[in-house]
Amino acid sequence: MKFNELKISEDLLSGIDAFNFETMTEIQAKSIPVALSGKDLLACSQTGSGKTAAFLIPVMEKISGLSGDGIKSLIICPTREICMQTEEQVSGLGYFTGTSCIAIYGGNDQDGFSRQKAALTNGVDVVVATPGRLISHLSLGYVKTEDLKFLVLDEADEMLDMGFYDDIINIISYLPHKRQTLMFSATMPDAIRKLASKILYQPEILDLNFSKPAEEIDQKVYLVYEKDKASILANILYSYKGQRIIIFAGTKINVSKVSSHLRMIGIKNTAINSSFSQQERNEKMLDFKNGKTDIVVTTNLLARGIDIDDVNLIVNYDIPDKAEDYVHRI
Ligand code: AMP
């Protein structure tokens, strides 16, 4: 199904066109009509399946005709990186509709907090937020939620894994009961169904059962002793010289160890984990996206929702605890 078959505004179609999106992905074709019809939705959809546009397009279409100057829609997501990427997509899709958007996440300076406070006080069409920082603002009492019509939970299973259940329930206690809620999750464990039954009203459920690796990915396994891992990794990296690579380690300590070892033997790389300030993380990600850095060593922090073109090799230096994490990483 093509986007121009949807009953949405010309301005929004122009935004979609500017992204060169023509045909909908499966999750988009299935969820956009449901969301446009006004129903709540629980959709199971993998990272990289086009789910951001799957919820942004109906939400942006539906808020464009709304009156009131408060916040119209809230998107909650697990990490700052996903938050920023979603904000960028709202800005792109909303270029011709004039949709206003702010990303609310922690780790920035006082100026950032004041800017967020101003937007939350004056009202904005779309708020994209990580739970912790949003709660800080909500608890200070100035956030204008009374006009809110749409709530989206993105990567809901990841948020539960990160321990955000109570925060999500707390955030929802500040929102109007009468609203449309869309929930996107990569997997559908019991905890997700339970949360859905608590916060969704007669939802449509779409389970695209995506939790397996994309077929075109070539997968290899090396059975090695722990002590040999580093040198085998170095050999593999030499054969991918100049190509874009992400190496996943299990812990921040292992990220540092792998990164320093590689640097010691002359393989340039950059380490990214949650201990770095947001600004450092942003700069490192930008260097990777722009091709200034070829190799990133990281934790599961970058396993989900991160959209980088032309990555040639993913190394699971440490095997992830959960099969889903492996699927997300690769
Ligand atoms: P997401 O799952 O939302 O992170 O999207 C993954 C990637 O697919 C992003 O680079 C999007 O820009 C791209 N994308 C999303 N929808 C479409 C579409 N209908 N046609 C082509 N690319 C798309």
Side-chain angles (χ1 to χ4, degrees):
M1 188 179 178
K2 304 238 186 251
F3 285 103
N4 59 15
E5 294 172 54
L6 290 170
K7 286 203 178 97
I8 56 175
S9 75
E10 283 302 318
D11 285 341
L12 188 51
L13 279 173
S14 303
I16 296 169
D17 199 41
F19 273 92
N20 284 327
F21 296 172
E22 202 179 306
T23 307
M24 287 185 232
T25 64
E26 188 179 7
I27 186 69
Q28 291 164 353
K30 291 196 167 140
S31 56
I32 293 175
V34 175
L36 283 174
S37 78
K39 287 194 77 174
D40 280 3
L41 174 69
L42 170 59
C44 191
S45 143
Q46 199 184 31
T47 290
S49 58
K51 70 180 165 41
T52 317
F55 59 73
L56 285 183
I57 289 170
V59 166
M60 290 173 70
E61 169 65 15
K62 296 192 88 172
I63 57 176
S64 65
L66 291 177
S67 56
D69 57 3
I71 297 164
K72 310 269 180 1
S73 54
L74 169 64
I75 297 162
I76 310 177
C77 48
T79 64
R80 302 162 187 174
E81 278 78 7
I82 298 180
C83 200
M84 286 185 289
Q85 270 183 198
T86 306
E87 185 205 23
E88 276 167 25
Q89 220 171 114
V90 176
S91 307
L93 289 171
Y95 186 79
F96 300 97
T97 57
T99 308
S100 57
C101 179
I102 180 134
I104 303 287
Y105 52 84
N108 41 21
D109 50 16
Q110 187 53 40
D111 276 359
F113 194 91
S114 309
R115 206 171 39 82
Q116 294 173 4
K117 180 179 172 187
L120 294 170
T121 310
N122 298 327
V124 57
D125 294 328
V126 181
V127 171
V128 191
T130 53
R133 175 54 71 94
L134 181 61
I135 286 178
S136 307
H137 286 290
L138 283 166
S139 59
L140 292 171
Y142 45 71
V143 184
K144 267 194 167 176
T145 56
E146 59 276 11
D147 290 333
L148 187 132
K149 296 284 186 295
F150 300 94
L151 169 68
V152 179
L153 300 189
D154 186 16
E155 303 277 3
D157 53 345
E158 174 76 349
M159 289 203 278
L160 295 191
D161 284 350
M162 290 168 80
F164 284 139
Y165 179 87
D166 289 341
D167 285 351
I168 290 170
I169 298 298
N170 186 5
I171 290 169
I172 290 174
S173 72
Y174 287 88
L175 309 181
H177 270 295
K178 203 169 169 305
R179 56 162 203 268
Q180 187 179 354
T181 307
L182 312 175
M183 196 165 141
F184 284 76
S185 181
T187 55
M188 200 80 92
D190 277 352
I192 285 294
R193 289 183 188 274
K194 252 191 218 156
L195 177 64
S197 69
K198 207 173 158 90
I199 67 168
L200 303 180
Y201 175 71
Q202 297 185 343
E204 184 97 5
I205 298 177
L206 294 175
D207 187 351
L208 300 192
N209 200 13
F210 267 136
S211 259
K212 57 182 195 308
E215 306 236 317
E216 64 270 26
I217 296 175
D218 187 17
Q219 300 174 62
K220 285 184 186 159
V221 61
Y222 294 78
L223 297 174
V224 299
Y225 291 108
E226 190 67 36
K227 67 177 174 46
D228 297 332
K229 261 184 173 180
S231 53
I232 291 173
L233 172 66
N235 271 330
I236 295 171
L237 296 183
Y238 284 127
S239 63
Y240 278 82
K241 208 163 182 208
Q243 303 191 47
R244 227 187 272 214
I245 299 165
I246 304 179
I247 300 167
F248 286 102
T251 59
K252 290 185 214 172
I253 294 175
N254 277 8
V255 166
S256 305
K257 274 192 196 158
V258 173
S259 172
S260 325
H261 173 78
L262 292 178
R263 226 171 287 133
M264 222 167 59
I265 59 171
I267 300 179
K268 273 201 207 155
N269 70 89
T270 191
I272 302 182
N273 67 50
S274 57
S275 304
F276 291 104
S277 74
Q278 189 56 41
Q279 195 184 341
E280 282 172 314
R281 272 156 66 174
N282 293 351
E283 284 168 3
K284 285 164 179 267
M285 282 300 284
L286 201 63
D287 283 350
F288 188 52
K289 282 188 178 178
N290 295 340
K292 272 197 199 160
T293 312
D294 291 331
I295 302 178
V296 162
V297 188
T298 186
T299 59
N300 269 346
L301 177 71
L302 294 193
R304 285 189 186 214
I306 298 301
D307 181 27
I308 301 165
D309 287 335
D310 303 326
V311 175
N312 303 92
L313 177 70
I314 301 291
V315 179
N316 287 280
Y317 189 83
D318 294 319
I319 293 175
D321 294 335
K322 285 183 291 177
E324 292 137 51
D325 287 338
Y326 173 78
V327 174
H328 286 294
R329 285 176 176 187
I330 71 167

